[in-house]
Amino acid sequence: MELSTANLVITPPEAKEFLNMDKAELTSDNTVSVSVETAASGFVVKALFEGSAKITMKFTDTHGNVKTAAATVEVGTAHEYVDLGLSVKWAVCNIGAETAEASGDYFAWGETAPKEKYETSNYAHCEGEPDTFTKYCTSIDKGLAVDSKTVLESVDDAATVLWGENWRMPTKAEYEELVKSLEWSITMGKTTVFTGTAKNGGTIVIPAAGYKQSKLSGSDCAYYWSSTLVDNNCGQAYYFYGEEDWFDEGEAAMSVEKYARMIGLPVRPVRVR
């Protein structure tokens, strides 16, 4: 993710001769990574995540006196979102996608990187065999130890890890709100898309991206992970599902369903703040 870079320029330019550039330091109290460049542009502050941070510059003048200066920098969001008048704001695109209609990347539930195959043998939160879960386990019959965790922690949330602390994966309840609160339609074509229209006039476009195991399947339907585990069957997690209505051709049917955790599904983040 590429975010803003801020140049802290020394003014007036002649003030540089009074600084010992080799002893200049920049530190941050929050979400940016800082580095010192001694070129004419001055100091460069490079952001890791969006948000605000206090940047403190410490330097030594030619007389050996230590000086400090501080500034607050604000880094804007690198991802667009839409306000649908609901409890959270929704990202315009999937993780890994550049447009609303693109599929983007696929993730096993609780993993934060895409891969070639999605199966039990390479799932991060088990020992490579059925019923050997090592995290998010609610029954000793399903894993090596019960931790009773039913919502993804931030370290296992693909949206938070890849887009920053202002984003996360939607919960089951937030997807249920999305299903019930919007008017849904389906557009069939080379890429099937579902469009939800909110009461405030906002819209969200969800592509039918299918799911992955050893290959892509179900590409005429939408499958999107939530962050919520099925508490009475911890081998599954809840996902948002969209298809053409079987009983009403040309209409969209949206719901929240359950799927095996190791399957690869896209992720549509929500904005925390």
Side-chain angles (χ1 to χ4, degrees), residues 16 57 65 98 100 103 116 141 172 184 186 212 233 243-244:
K16 279 191 178 183
M57 182 174 69
N65 300 312
E98 295 185 358
S103 300
E116 289 297 318
D141 295 333
K172 172 179 179 277
W184 290 94
I186 184 173
K212 283 187 175 182
N233 182 1
E243 64 176 354
E244 182 182 15

Side-chain angles (χ1 to χ4, degrees), residues 91-155:
V92 170
C93 299
N94 295 346
I95 294 178
E98 295 185 358
T99 66
E101 295 81 10
S103 300
D105 295 325
Y106 295 75
F107 303 87
W109 189 84
E111 294 186 357
T112 59
K115 54 191 181 184
E116 289 297 318
K117 293 183 178 181
Y118 298 82
E119 51 195 23
T120 303
S121 62
N122 66 2
Y123 182 55
H125 301 301
C126 79
E127 292 291 327
E129 299 289 341
D131 300 333
T132 60
F133 292 113
T134 56
K135 193 173 183 181
Y136 306 106
C137 183
T138 58
S139 170
I140 195 62
D141 295 333
K142 291 290 186 179
L144 304 182
V146 174
D147 59 18
S148 300
K149 295 178 180 180
T150 58
V151 178
L152 286 175
E153 296 179 343
S154 58
V155 294

